[in-house]
Amino acid sequence: MKMTVKLLTLTAIALIGTTLAFADEKGTDIMQKAKDLEKPKFSHSIVEMVLTEKNGTKEIRKVEELGRNRDDGNGNKVNDVTMLFHSPANIKDTRFLQKENHAKDDDKWIYLPALRNTRRVNSSEGSKSFMGTDATYDDLSTREIEEDDHQYQGEETKKVGSNTFECYKIKEVPYDKKSSQYSYRITWVDKATYVPVYTEMYDKNEKLIKTLEVPVIKNINGYTITMATRMTNVQTGHSTTITIKQLELDKPLPERVFTDKFLSTGK
């Protein structure tokens, strides 16, 4: 799960251009390497999504994810993902599509079977929960490197789940405060893989609101794959855990599965 892209105004771009001269080069370099990790051209996975209430009550979901990495025609690598919810019954046949754009809002659509309707998710809905999870719609997207001041905080050992990682610690502060729902984020990047394995997200009052953990990383066919993630809202005690159960890489997927028409029909 990732952070949001926002369209910058000409004034904001000018200000960023000035500020970047003073930006933390080491922090920016580390986060650029994390962003540039090689991705499979196609991916097809079955994941288990577990929503856990503060009292321990769980809802287990089965979700199919179809992904692709493509060139947007302007030399930028972007990612698209289609999610098909198979269970439980109350969300069965819900389908979601996100198509990444460079330097502007991603395109998102959702199909709700109860309404038999596919609709575009507006950018104004970015702070809303995605399907009752701890991630917002904005959390699903990727922030551009130039949107944040990446402040290098040093090196630190971080225990995530049952694994321990030697990490770079980076504080990420948005240049344009309106471009993010968070005042800042602190990210621990694994030195061996450049995967961000732990992130703390702070609300507009600079209070910790959420954490994102990546406890399991595997090298599969030369790709560094995050096999499990856990996002926790520390203010409510609710969490969302996603675990890959089946994974297939670089087997071509048809163009149609990345269209809003596919969401309506499922075929």
Side-chain angles (χ1 to χ4, degrees):
M1 296 180 179
K2 305 173 183 177
M3 313 311 294
T4 183
V5 172
K6 294 292 183 182
L7 180 61
L8 300 176
T9 64
L10 291 176
T11 301
I13 291 172
L15 288 173
I16 286 176
T18 302
T19 310
L20 280 176
F22 304 99
D24 189 323
E25 291 185 8
K26 185 166 185 176
T28 300
D29 180 64
I30 290 168
M31 296 311 297
Q32 185 68 60
K33 288 178 179 177
K35 181 176 172 55
D36 290 343
L37 285 173
E38 187 175 3
K39 301 174 180 64
K41 189 171 184 179
F42 296 100
S43 63
H44 186 184
S45 61
I46 302 296
V47 305
E48 180 183 77
M49 178 186 289
V50 181
L51 277 59
T52 306
E53 302 286 349
K54 185 177 182 178
N55 64 8
T57 302
K58 298 180 184 294
E59 178 184 293
I60 301 176
R61 300 174 172 181
K62 180 181 178 181
V63 185
E64 184 177 2
E65 291 192 4
L66 309 167
R68 69 174 177 183
N69 182 251
R70 61 180 172 86
D71 191 303
D72 68 355
N74 294 308
N76 304 302
K77 288 293 184 181
V78 293
N79 295 285
D80 303 328
V81 62
T82 296
M83 302 176 67
L84 314 173
F85 289 80
H86 294 308
S87 67
N90 64 319
I91 60 168
K92 180 176 167 47
D93 293 331
T94 300
R95 295 183 275 269
F96 174 76
L97 168 64
Q98 175 173 290
K99 302 183 77 169
E100 183 180 355
N101 294 311
H102 181 71
K104 65 177 182 177
D105 288 340
D106 294 350
D107 294 315
K108 301 180 178 77
W109 295 266
I110 191 166
Y111 172 76
L112 300 173
L115 301 177
R116 296 183 180 180
N117 179 55
T118 297
R119 71 172 185 85
R120 181 184 287 271
V121 178
N122 296 320
S123 58
S124 61
E125 300 176 78
S127 62
K128 292 183 178 180
S129 168
F130 170 66
M131 292 293 294
T133 69
D134 293 278
T136 64
Y137 281 103
D138 279 352
D139 285 335
L140 303 180
S141 299
T142 304
R143 288 185 66 81
E144 301 297 337
I145 293 296
E146 59 268 21
E147 289 190 272
D148 298 318
D149 180 14
H150 305 282
Q151 302 170 8
Y152 179 69
Q153 305 278 292
E155 299 181 10
E156 188 171 297
T157 300
K158 192 72 174 175
K159 185 173 176 60
V160 185
S162 60
N163 292 317
T164 300
F165 301 92
E166 297 301 321
C167 296
Y168 301 112
K169 183 179 178 182
I170 312 292
K171 182 177 182 180
E172 302 176 89
V173 183
Y175 288 114
D176 178 2
K177 303 301 182 184
K178 295 180 180 179
S179 73
S180 174
Q181 61 190 289
Y182 306 112
S183 58
Y184 63 90
R185 307 183 307 279
I186 299 179
T187 300
W188 284 259
V189 179
D190 177 38
K191 293 168 66 175
T193 62
Y194 282 94
V195 171
V197 293
Y198 195 89
T199 301
E200 294 178 345
M201 290 155 266
Y202 292 79
D203 65 19
K204 292 297 186 179
N205 294 318
E206 299 193 357
K207 293 183 178 180
L208 179 64
I209 181 171
K210 288 189 284 193
T211 62
L212 178 62
E213 304 168 73
V214 179
V216 184
I217 303 170
K218 288 186 178 180
N219 187 293
I220 302 176
N221 297 346
Y223 300 111
T224 303
I225 306 294
T226 58
M227 299 298 292
T229 62
R230 177 185 173 91
M231 179 174 276
T232 303
N233 187 315
V234 301
Q235 295 182 7
T236 66
H238 191 277
S239 67
T240 303
T241 303
I242 297 175
T243 306
I244 296 177
K245 295 297 185 179
Q246 300 176 38
L247 178 63
E248 187 174 51
L249 300 176
D250 284 335
K251 182 177 180 180
L253 295 167
E255 170 70 27
R256 61 182 172 77
V257 304
F258 300 104
T259 64
D260 56 336
K261 180 179 179 180
F262 177 78
L263 296 190
S264 300
T265 63
K267 57 184 180 179

